Structure formats: C-alpha cells, structure tokens
C-alpha cells in the first residue's frame, strides 16, 4: 500500500477539475485532498493510487477505470459517483455517502466500507475477495452473487437489496436487516439468522433457510401466516 502523502502534497478547499488532478498526479506520489469540490469531475482512468480524499464533494464524479489502490476516503459525499471497473484494492472508505454510486465490475479486494451509506449502489460483478462492510446501509443496493461465507456481519442493512445467489453459509448476522430483500437462490446453510430482521419473508420462502438457525420469534412470525400461534 502507498505511504501517506507528504504535507506539501496536501490540497485544501479548492474546486478541482481533471487538469488540476492530472497536474498533481504528474508531480509523482500520492496527494491528499480535504474539503475539495470534485463534483462531476471526469477523473476516469487516472492513476490515483494511495491518494486520500477527506470531506470532498464527489457527486456525479467519474472514476471509471481509475487506479485507486490503497486510497483513503473519509466523510466524502459521492451520490451518483461512478467507479465502474476502477481498482479499489485495499481502499479504506469510512463515513462516506455513496448512495446510488456505481461500482460495477470494480476491483474491491481487501477494501473496507465502514459507517457508509450505499443506498441504491450498484456493485454488480464487483471483484471483492475479502471485501468487508461494517455498519453500512446497503438498502436497495445491487450485490448479486457475492460471497459473505463465514463472515460475521454487524449492523448491515440489506433491506430491499438485490442479493440473488449470494453465499451466506456459516454467516453470523448481528443487528442486520434482510427485510424485503431479493434472496432468490441464496445459500444459508450453517448461518445464524437470530440477529437478522427477516420482515417480509413469506412461509413459501422458508426453504431458503434450510440448515440455518432462526429464533423462536422468527419461526412464530413465519407460522403466523398460517394462522398458527407458537407458544
């Protein structure tokens, strides 16, 4: 991973376009941007490995195909930003709002999202070996066919998310929500779902959780559809 940028590579409170970023990149090494305005900037295919972005405005910014390995993102606002096919290997993303952002086909190996808002984000076909989400909103997000196998998931909200074909085998859910998520063809063998909100689940869907552990209350909610009371 790249080292932190030197103080003379720090930029504060400026509105930056592609030419400005290209100039910083040409100087070599990583730069640190704080409180900068990059809204709608076209930064596609640039090498910004190791760069740091803090409290930056990134709405509609275009990072498609960019090299962002080891980059750090703190408290940025990036609604509708695009990272299609970008390389975010080992990126650290904390406290950021990337609602409706595009991460399709992005490389997210060993990346971490902590305390983020990814409502409506599209992570389809992302390559995410060892990708980690912590206390993050993934409401209505698209994350089909991702493997969470053997992870402990803490405070993740997957409400209404597209989770088709995801692998949740041996996963422990802790204060999570799967309410109204699309879980078609998911695997839950060995999972502990007692810490998950399964609201919206129908009895016909119960077969999804074959081999998983659910609480007595969750079982009662399922059987309640048949008019049965569990005591």
């Amino acid at each position: 991973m790249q080292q932190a940028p030197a103080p003379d590579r720090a930029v504060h409170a400026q509105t930056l376009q592609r030419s400005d970023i290209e100039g910083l990149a040409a100087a070599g090494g990583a730069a640190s941007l704080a409180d900068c305005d990059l809204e709608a900037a076209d930064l596609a295919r640039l090498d910004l490995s190791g760069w740091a972005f803090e409290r930056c405005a990134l709405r509609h910014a275009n990072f498609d195909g960019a090299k962002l390995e080891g980059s750090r993102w703190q408290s940025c606002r990036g609604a509708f930003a695009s990272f299609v096919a970008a390389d975010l290997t080992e990126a650290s993303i904390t406290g950021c709002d990337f609602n409706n952002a595009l991460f399709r086909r992005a490389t997210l190996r060993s990346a971490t999202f902590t305390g983020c808002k990814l409502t409506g984000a599209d992570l389809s076909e992302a390559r995410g070996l060892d990708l980690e989400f912590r206390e993050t909103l993934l409401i209505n997000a698209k994350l089909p066919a991702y493997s969470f196998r053997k992870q402990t998931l803490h405070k993740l909200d997957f409400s209404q998310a597209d989770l088709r074909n995801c692998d949740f085998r041996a996963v422990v859910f802790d204060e999570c929500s799967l309410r109204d998520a699309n879980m078609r063809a998911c695997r839950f063998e060995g999972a502990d779902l007692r810490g998950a909100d399964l609201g919206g689940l129908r009895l016909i869907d119960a077969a999804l959780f074959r081999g998983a552990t659910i609480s007595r209350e969750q079982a009662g909610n399922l059987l309640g559809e048949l008019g049965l009371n569990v005591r």
Side-chain angles (χ1 to χ4, degrees), residues 78-90:
F80 299 97
S82 184
F83 295 86
V84 174
D87 189 347
L88 286 146
T89 299
E90 296 186 352

Side-chain angles (χ1 to χ4, degrees), residues 44 70 77 102 115 174 187 191 213:
R77 303 172 307 284
L102 303 178
D174 178 27
R187 300 189 64 180
T213 300

Side-chain angles (χ1 to χ4, degrees), residues 84-150:
V84 174
D87 189 347
L88 286 146
T89 299
E90 296 186 352
S92 175
I93 305 167
T94 305
C96 293
D97 184 346
F98 281 122
N99 72 78
N100 294 296
L102 303 178
F103 292 92
R104 291 196 304 267
R105 302 191 306 281
T107 300
L108 295 166
R109 287 192 297 268
S110 299
T112 59
F113 288 88
T114 304
C116 292
K117 296 179 181 178
L118 294 172
T119 300
D122 187 350
L123 295 98
S124 303
E125 301 179 70
R127 288 170 284 182
L129 182 65
D130 294 324
L131 167 64
E132 187 172 358
F133 297 104
R134 305 168 184 164
E135 301 184 22
T136 289
L137 297 180
L138 289 151
I139 299 168
N140 204 36
K142 296 179 181 177
L143 198 64
Y146 183 74
S147 176
F148 293 92
R149 189 175 184 184
K150 295 185 178 181

Side-chain angles (χ1 to χ4, degrees), residues 38-230:
L38 293 160
E39 290 201 13
D42 179 9
L43 307 177
R45 298 175 299 283
L46 294 181
D47 187 349
L48 308 177
S49 298
W51 281 45
F53 301 83
E54 186 173 357
R55 300 184 304 278
C56 291
L58 304 170
R59 184 179 175 86
H60 287 291
N62 180 5
F63 292 93
D64 292 354
K67 295 181 179 179
L68 299 162
E69 298 161 272
S71 55
R72 294 179 290 116
W73 311 73
Q74 173 74 48
S75 303
C76 293
R77 303 172 307 284
F80 299 97
S82 184
F83 295 86
V84 174
D87 189 347
L88 286 146
T89 299
E90 296 186 352
S92 175
I93 305 167
T94 305
C96 293
D97 184 346
F98 281 122
N99 72 78
N100 294 296
L102 303 178
F103 292 92
R104 291 196 304 267
R105 302 191 306 281
T107 300
L108 295 166
R109 287 192 297 268
S110 299
T112 59
F113 288 88
T114 304
C116 292
K117 296 179 181 178
L118 294 172
T119 300
D122 187 350
L123 295 98
S124 303
E125 301 179 70
R127 288 170 284 182
L129 182 65
D130 294 324
L131 167 64
E132 187 172 358
F133 297 104
R134 305 168 184 164
E135 301 184 22
T136 289
L137 297 180
L138 289 151
I139 299 168
N140 204 36
K142 296 179 181 177
L143 198 64
Y146 183 74
S147 176
F148 293 92
R149 189 175 184 184
K150 295 185 178 181
Q151 294 186 31
T152 295
L153 305 183
H154 180 59
K155 291 188 177 180
L156 300 186
D157 192 341
F158 292 109
S159 300
Q160 301 178 358
D162 180 0
L163 302 175
R164 291 171 297 162
N165 297 291
C166 280
D167 187 349
F168 291 107
R169 286 178 291 173
V171 165
V172 176
F173 290 85
D174 178 27
E175 298 185 56
C176 295
S177 177
L178 292 167
R179 178 175 288 272
D180 295 318
N182 183 349
M183 296 181 283
R184 183 170 59 83
C186 286
R187 300 189 64 180
F188 286 95
E189 297 97 309
D192 185 343
L193 287 149
R194 290 174 293 180
D197 178 357
L198 303 179
L201 186 70
R202 301 167 301 167
L203 189 60
I204 194 173
D205 300 319
L208 280 171
F209 302 121
R210 185 176 290 112
T213 300
I214 63 175
S215 70
R216 187 177 183 84
E217 180 181 358
Q218 289 167 323
N221 290 336
L222 287 174
L223 291 174
E225 290 194 2
L226 296 178
L228 301 176
N229 296 318
V230 178

